[in-house]
Amino acid sequence: MRSMSVLSTALVDAWRSGQPLNAEAATHLAPPDEAAAYRVQREVADALGWYASGRPRAWKMGAASRDATPTAAPIPDPALIDSPAHLAATSAHTLIGVEVELAVRLARPLLPGASAEDARAAVAEVLAAIEICDVRAHDWRILPPLFRLADQQMNRWLILGNGVSGPWRDAFAACEVRLEINGVETLRRHGGHPLGEPLFVLPWLAGHAAREYAGRLRAGDLITTGTWTGLYEAKPGDRVRASFAGIGSVEVEIGRT
């Protein structure tokens, strides 16, 4: 068995101890390219035993634009939580970052080489979701992007709300999203997903999952599709509720320290 990289070892230690790296060490250990970052993701997941079936069943996706190469991180089984959720603030390392998203659940496997229409046809359900972002190093804003990618693309938890099945195709096109913090509406926006229909990333993810984890995307797998609201830095004691008109809602409460 090949030994883990220095960065993988440091991240495993941070997960187990709750003690994050300092920004200087994280920057020094940042991987040189995306291939190395994905290798770190796998090594950390294997060391911590995150996947009961031996493979991820949920994924975080990201893309700067429709022309950019997407990036991804598998989401650990223990990080998938149904709404309404209660999270301990002490479980975070350096950040409790709230991103309001729509997640999709697949109805059938999606193979490498799948077309955009194959990807659309594979979607069974669209769910309101909140991703809680965290970083296993301090000063996340100044950390190299490749460190953040290696560190599970900043994922900590995915809170799953309710949603819609069947005729979901307009869900990304024109929808009102609302964000409430402690019962106060802080954002209301009507429009589509920032990237249009974000399912364009699914064929790429089908190939990525096959390369990195020697398997296909399967029925029941979950994929997040990117934030509609940016990142809100929550505080201990915050109650967060998000809703998508005609789709569903999701709630999480952050415990006090």
Side-chain angles (χ1 to χ4, degrees):
M1 179 182 298
R2 185 177 63 184
S3 61
M4 289 197 303
S5 70
V6 176
L7 176 56
S8 298
T9 300
L11 287 172
V12 168
D13 288 346
W15 277 99
R16 287 174 171 162
S17 69
Q19 299 301 312
L21 287 70
N22 62 51
E24 182 180 4
T27 299
H28 175 72
L29 293 175
D33 51 38
E34 289 187 355
Y38 290 130
R39 185 165 59 250
V40 169
Q41 289 182 1
R42 294 195 308 272
E43 290 175 349
V44 172
D46 289 346
L48 295 174
W50 277 342
Y51 311 123
S53 65
R55 60 174 290 276
R57 58 191 180 97
W59 292 84
K60 172 178 180 172
M61 291 296 304
S65 71
R66 292 186 67 91
D67 298 325
T69 301
T71 55
I75 298 175
D77 289 352
L80 299 172
I81 303 175
D82 289 332
S83 171
H86 181 90
L87 303 177
T90 52
S91 298
H93 289 80
T94 62
L95 175 68
I96 308 171
V98 171
E99 292 189 342
V100 177
E101 310 200 15
L102 289 175
V104 299
R105 191 191 307 273
L106 299 183
R108 64 189 71 166
L110 196 60
L111 303 177
S115 68
E117 191 53 38
D118 292 334
R120 295 186 190 99
V123 173
E125 189 177 16
V126 178
L127 305 168
I130 288 175
E131 182 190 4
I132 302 295
C133 298
D134 187 17
V135 186
R136 272 52 65 176
H138 290 290
D139 301 321
W140 68 272
R141 288 185 179 84
I142 67 171
L143 297 175
L146 285 168
F147 175 88
R148 298 198 300 264
L149 178 61
D151 188 22
Q152 310 307 320
Q153 202 159 294
M154 297 175 59
N155 175 260
R156 182 61 181 90
W157 291 284
L158 182 64
I159 315 303
L160 296 166
N162 51 14
V164 293
S165 56
W168 55 265
R169 288 177 180 251
D170 293 333
F172 299 102
C175 181
E176 182 180 85
V177 58
R178 298 177 60 195
L179 176 63
E180 299 174 19
I181 308 296
N182 300 321
V184 178
E185 183 177 284
T186 61
L187 181 147
R188 181 191 295 234
R189 187 171 67 83
H190 188 275
H193 188 279
L195 296 178
E197 186 194 86
L199 301 186
F200 75 92
V201 301
L202 293 188
W204 179 90
L205 180 60
H208 177 78
R211 287 191 304 273
E212 299 295 327
Y213 290 88
R216 65 185 66 179
L217 297 178
R218 299 182 185 177
D221 284 357
L222 290 157
I223 300 103
T224 69
T225 60
T227 180
W228 289 60
T229 59
L231 186 147
Y232 165 75
E233 294 194 39
K235 303 178 294 298
D238 276 352
R239 291 175 290 109
V240 181
R241 183 179 189 275
S243 61
F244 291 86
I247 299 175
S249 61
V250 57
E251 301 178 35
V252 61
E253 181 176 1
I254 311 301
R256 297 185 183 278
T257 55

